[in-house]
Amino acid sequence: QPVEIHPVPGVTVTGRVDLIKRLDTNETSVVDFKSSERAQAEDLTRDQLHLYVLGYRELTGQDADVVEVLNLDKAGRDTREMVDPEVMTDLGKRVTEAADSLRTNQLSRRDNWCATCASCDFAGICRNRES
């Protein structure tokens, strides 16, 4: 289901929410299907799923119960956790801070360079290249 999420005033996130409704428990899961080949950090996935929980709420007026990552590879692992209100609150704060930084053009560079930066097309924007 395509959604448009408004986590804080003046910020719009668009995405697609995959849902599973368990008929036996009446539980709603916000799901992300991943493969090991295009994996991203678990914390980033957790934030993404909790943001989609907000989208589900905006779309339906109801709350999801669970966030899940279902891995499409045999080598990958699935994760499942209850929707965490603390993650939702923290995510809202971080989205607000990011939006404020963009509005005020306060985009300071990061101090360290990591293995991911070496292959990132945008690393020169957010990082000082290592010497």
Side-chain angles (χ1 to χ4, degrees), residues 107-128:
L107 305 170
S108 55
R109 290 177 176 247
R110 301 284 187 170
D111 342 348
N112 58 0
W113 189 270
C114 68
T116 304
C117 296
S119 62
C120 177
D121 293 337
F122 303 106
I125 295 171
C126 66
R127 302 275 196 273
N128 290 322

Side-chain angles (χ1 to χ4, degrees), residues 46-90:
R46 179 179 294 113
D47 287 349
Q48 176 186 2
L49 289 171
H50 278 82
L51 194 58
Y52 288 166
V53 167
L54 291 175
Y56 178 71
R57 182 185 297 157
E58 282 191 40
L59 186 66
T60 66
Q62 300 175 357
D63 289 322
D65 304 298
V66 176
V67 292
E68 294 183 85
V69 175
L70 300 179
N71 203 299
L72 302 173
D73 302 325
K74 289 180 183 176
R77 68 179 182 92
D78 297 341
T79 60
R80 174 183 168 82
E81 63 185 60
M82 299 300 290
V83 171
D84 186 340
E86 285 185 32
V87 171
M88 304 283 284
T89 300
D90 180 60

